[in-house]
Amino acid sequence: MRVVIVKDYEQMSRTAALLIAKQLRSKPSSVLGFATGSTPLGTYKELIRMHRREGLDFSHARTFNLDEYFRLDPSHPQSYHTFMFENLFNKINVNPDRISIPDGMTEDVENFCADYERRIKQAGGLDLQLLGIGRDGHVGFNEPGSSLGSRTRLKTLAEETVRDNARFFKDKKEVPRLAITMGVGTILEARQLVMLASGEGKADAVKRSIEGPVTAQVTASALQLHPSVTVVADEGAASLLMHRRYYVYVEKMAEKYEADVGI
Ligand code: F6R
């Protein structure tokens, strides 16, 4: 696991965007997995900038989003559909036919989820999945107790997550309690994972996921089982890491020898 500790949110965003751009440039038809929430917003801004200024081309890419609220219409201002189109898809040249976001309005959840998994496979699997992390250590909406082998399915959000998400809703009663999310097993099948964390509020979750035991109680800890993970954390999010200095040293060595010595 590569742990990149950067100064602040801007550097985290820039680092993540560079990793995504590298993937896309090496394989223009990449299958990219995207996340929502506050954390990746800066990354998306930087990708938009790279598209406009540096010609980063998304026209051959396919995208799959991690999750979507259940029973929230895609046109709702807080749906993850709206989020993705407003903050990224409308501003880059991705083909709308190649965008997949779970359908929170589906009448047949089980079939929808099985089909979502099938579509990811048919696309050749995810080349790179971008992840945020919840304060309870969730990735996607795989809340504590989610099976580490779980697949795309309907999940009940933890109270803490509902409270955290309430900041985006005018009427607190509107905050969804359920979401369709890729499972931990689905996420682990991506060829490359990039997890972002910013701010001290995430420090405990980051510590438990990187340096704690692998446990379904902290689903981000399952990333320890994956051969190609980069965690990009700012100073605040990395502040509780025991081996912080070593991670910084590894990155310096990687720079010096121009090699991936940390993975
Ligand atoms: C969003 C998602 C969630 C968020 C997490 C952190 O698609 O899957 O796991 O990444 O809840 O959210 P923020 O970034 O808002 O702190």
Side-chain angles (χ1 to χ4, degrees):
M1 179 182 282
R2 183 176 168 203
V3 182
V4 183
I5 301 173
V6 293
K7 194 168 89 232
D8 54 18
Y9 181 83
E10 275 64 42
Q11 272 198 30
M12 177 199 75
S13 304
R14 171 90 182 136
T15 306
L18 282 171
L19 289 169
I20 296 168
K22 187 174 173 197
Q23 168 64 43
L24 195 55
R25 287 194 171 111
S26 70
K27 180 183 173 190
S29 63
S30 287
V31 182
L32 302 174
F34 287 124
T36 55
S38 310
T39 314
L41 275 173
T43 306
Y44 296 157
K45 278 205 183 106
E46 180 60 12
L47 287 176
I48 294 164
R49 194 198 62 76
M50 287 172 160
H51 167 65
R52 290 181 178 159
R53 300 273 167 82
E54 296 166 16
L56 185 62
D57 180 16
F58 291 83
S59 63
H60 300 288
R62 279 202 63 119
T63 73
F64 285 89
N65 261 78
L66 270 177
D67 38 27
E68 175 60 287
Y69 289 128
F70 189 55
R71 293 282 174 268
L72 204 61
D73 195 86
S75 64
H76 189 284
Q78 297 310 332
S79 78
Y80 286 166
H81 275 77
T82 304
F83 176 100
M84 287 308 301
F85 279 89
E86 279 184 355
N87 293 303
L88 184 65
F89 296 150
N90 285 342
K91 298 171 179 170
I92 55 174
N93 65 337
V94 62
N95 179 343
D97 297 338
R98 291 167 165 263
I99 293 170
S100 299
I101 303 174
D103 175 10
M105 298 302 281
T106 179
E107 292 296 330
D108 186 346
V109 176
E110 212 170 302
N111 260 321
F112 176 82
C113 293
D115 188 53
Y116 202 68
E117 292 275 337
R118 250 192 313 273
R119 278 192 278 153
I120 294 173
K121 280 215 172 76
Q122 273 164 10
L126 295 158
D127 288 301
L128 183 154
Q129 176 66 53
L130 185 66
L131 300 164
I133 180 171
R135 285 192 303 131
D136 62 6
H138 67 222
V139 278
F141 278 126
N142 295 287
E143 300 286 27
S146 293
S147 157
L148 299 186
S150 53
R151 313 301 309 188
T152 303
R153 70 215 182 290
L154 188 61
K155 273 299 291 180
T156 304
L157 304 183
E159 269 180 50
E160 189 181 28
T161 305
V162 174
R163 270 200 305 275
D164 284 349
N165 293 347
R167 69 190 193 278
F168 299 111
F169 289 81
K170 272 196 219 114
D171 181 355
K172 303 296 171 235
K173 282 193 215 95
E174 259 191 69
V175 189
R177 307 283 155 153
L178 303 177
I180 292 180
T181 179
M182 282 186 201
V184 182
T186 320
I187 293 168
L188 289 180
E189 276 174 15
R191 283 183 271 281
Q192 189 188 162
L193 299 176
V194 176
M195 188 172 84
L196 308 182
S198 173
E200 278 175 21
K202 297 289 172 68
D204 185 55
V206 166
K207 179 178 173 46
R208 294 202 290 153
S209 59
I210 295 177
E211 295 179 340
V214 174
T215 166
Q217 293 306 317
V218 182
T219 54
S221 68
L223 269 55
Q224 293 176 37
L225 301 169
H226 193 283
S228 182
V229 181
T230 306
V231 177
V232 189
D234 66 12
E235 297 275 3
S239 57
L240 295 178
L241 290 174
M242 190 173 30
H243 299 298
R244 213 179 155 285
R245 286 179 54 197
Y246 175 66
Y247 307 137
V248 173
Y249 174 66
V250 169
E251 286 308 304
K252 281 211 179 99
M253 288 298 117
E255 231 170 79
K256 186 169 173 193
Y257 293 99
E258 291 176 14
D260 285 337
V261 295
I263 298 181

